[in-house]
Amino acid sequence: MTDASRGASETELEIRRLRWQCRRGMLELDHLLDRFLDLGYRDLDQAQRLAFVRLLGEQDQRLSDWFMSRKEPADTELGDLVRHIVEVVRERPSASVDLHG
C-alpha cells in the first residue's frame, strides 16, 4: 500500500467515524454536515479537521444559529469553518439542505 493510498484509507475511516457524530437532533444539520463530509472534508488541512471535530461538540441550537447566520461564533477559527462549510455546500445545492432558515 502506498503512502497516498494509506492516507486516503485513513481519511475514509475518519469520515465514517465523523458521519456518526454528524447525526444531530435537527434534520437540516444532519443533511448539511453529512453533505459537507462528502463534498469538502477531504480538502481540509489538519487544523481545520480538528476545528471540525470541535464544531461537532457544539449544541444543535448553537450550530443552527451559526449556519443560518443568526449568530457568529466567538471563536474565529470556528467562524471561518462555518462559512467554509456553507460555501462548499452551496456550490452544489441540494433540495434537502435549507441554508436560509
Side-chain angles (χ1 to χ4, degrees):
M1 182 179 282
T2 66
D3 287 343
S5 63
R6 185 178 3 267
S9 295
E10 289 172 7
T11 298
E12 294 310 310
L13 181 59
E14 185 179 354
I15 288 173
R16 281 198 300 266
R17 287 183 192 137
L18 288 170
R19 202 167 300 278
W20 283 104
Q21 293 178 39
C22 288
R23 299 184 118 189
R24 313 304 290 202
M26 300 174 94
L27 187 59
E28 295 84 2
L29 288 175
D30 282 359
H31 289 297
L32 178 93
L33 295 170
D34 194 55
R35 190 157 164 77
F36 177 73
L37 282 178
D38 293 334
L39 299 176
Y41 183 80
R42 288 168 190 83
D43 298 328
L44 298 180
D45 63 29
Q46 190 59 35
Q48 290 170 314
R49 288 180 180 198
L50 291 172
F52 186 76
V53 171
R54 282 195 302 122
L55 185 75
L56 294 179
E58 296 290 340
Q59 296 176 357
D60 286 1
Q61 188 57 53
R62 182 171 291 151
L63 291 175
S64 178
D65 286 344
W66 293 346
F67 283 117
M68 303 308 161
S69 299
R70 291 187 288 258
K71 295 183 181 176
E72 276 282 319
D75 181 324
T76 57
E77 188 176 31
L78 290 184
D80 291 344
L81 182 58
V82 165
R83 283 186 290 282
H84 177 70
I85 291 169
V86 170
E87 287 173 17
V88 167
V89 173
R90 275 192 178 151
E91 285 178 7
R92 289 185 263 171
S94 169
S96 63
V97 177
D98 178 8
L99 298 176
H100 298 92

